[in-house]
Every structure is written in structure tokens, then in C-alpha cells.
Amino acid sequence: MRKSSKDCRADRASVNSRIQAKADEAIKAPPVMSFSAQMPAYTYTSLCSDPKLRKRPGAKPEHPEGMQPATTEMICLICRKHWPSDCKRTTCDCESKGHLFSTGVYYQRKKGGGVVDT
């Protein structure tokens, strides 16, 4: 069954009112607290209006092995017992001898690479 023009207008009006309600809600929302919204334009460049923010802050010292470990541990997949990551075990001491699975995150910093002229 085909919609009448009156129904089409009513549908379009309801869609427009929903869009307008979302726009009103966005206007009343608190300001964005992201880095780019809080900092001046061209931060960490020579064009920045604040002289203190023209240079990039110093880099964090790197981990000696190149990887920065976060809290990591091993967990038994059967009994869910937690083990330290440096225990050198592959199975748990539970009666099922469950496999130990490493959990946690390692953050590896990306090394700056470039084109090497040969």
C-alpha cells in the first residue's frame, strides 16, 4: 500500500524534529575537553602563539629492552589461578594441569624509520 502525501509529510516532519532535537542537545552539551580543543592552534610548532608551547616536551626514557611491560601475569585456563609472568611455568599445578596463558599488555614504542640511501 502506498503512503499518501499527508503521511509522507508527517514522517518528514518527525524526522526533522528528531534532527533538531539532537542539534539542540549538542548545543547545550558541555564543551569538549580534548587536547586540540584546550590547546592553542599550532601547538608544538614555531607558529604557536604561546612561546612556552613551541617546543615539544621531552620524550620519556625508553625501557632497556625496547618494550615497556605493563602489569602482566599468567592465568590457568582451567582453574583461573593467577601466576607471575616470570615463573617459567607452562602448566598449572591444579589437578587438570591447565595451560598457563599470558595476560596483560606490552607497549612497544615505534622506532622512527626512514629511507636509507644506498
Side-chain angles (χ1 to χ4, degrees), residues 73-86:
E73 59 188 3
M74 298 174 88
I75 189 170
C76 176
L77 294 176
I78 305 236
C79 68
R80 310 305 281 174
K81 182 178 177 182
H82 294 265
W83 293 82
S85 61
D86 57 351

Side-chain angles (χ1 to χ4, degrees), residues 23-43:
D24 291 341
E25 184 180 318
I27 290 171
K28 293 176 185 173
V32 179
M33 300 305 289
S34 66
F35 177 83
S36 59
Q38 292 177 340
M39 301 303 279
Y42 305 109
T43 303

